[in-house]
Amino acid sequence: MDNKTNPDHYVTDTGAEVIDITECLDFCRGNVVKYVCRAGRKAGEEALDDLKKAKWYLDRAISNEENGIDG
């Protein structure tokens, strides 16, 4: 696997690539999945920082739903 286009921190323990999952979702939901999956796996990034990013996107997705905004 090419680490530039398929970095290890975006591959799950079962070998699934995060992009294969997120392509089925809208932008905010896809980013929630992306940051949750890579939390604690990307060199130089703290798991808590990625979890906070995921929460930000989740909060935005919730707000969009509450306000009838797509994606």
Side-chain angles (χ1 to χ4, degrees):
M1 210 179 276
D2 176 4
N3 204 34
K4 296 276 187 202
T5 57
N6 302 91
D8 292 338
H9 56 268
Y10 287 128
V11 178
T12 68
D13 293 338
T14 62
E17 289 192 52
V18 174
I19 194 167
D20 293 330
I21 301 165
T22 61
E23 284 180 328
C24 302
L25 304 170
D26 67 33
F27 184 78
C28 287
R29 292 174 188 185
N31 276 312
V32 170
V33 172
K34 174 180 77 171
Y35 286 118
V36 167
C37 286
R38 85 169 201 186
R41 298 175 55 102
K42 185 174 181 185
E45 295 280 334
E46 295 292 325
L48 182 58
D49 291 336
D50 280 338
L51 294 173
K52 286 180 179 180
K53 290 174 188 176
K55 182 183 180 302
W56 187 90
Y57 281 104
L58 181 57
D59 287 342
R60 183 155 180 124
I62 290 168
S63 176
N64 289 346
E65 284 291 321
E66 290 174 338
N67 293 300
I69 300 170
D70 288 336

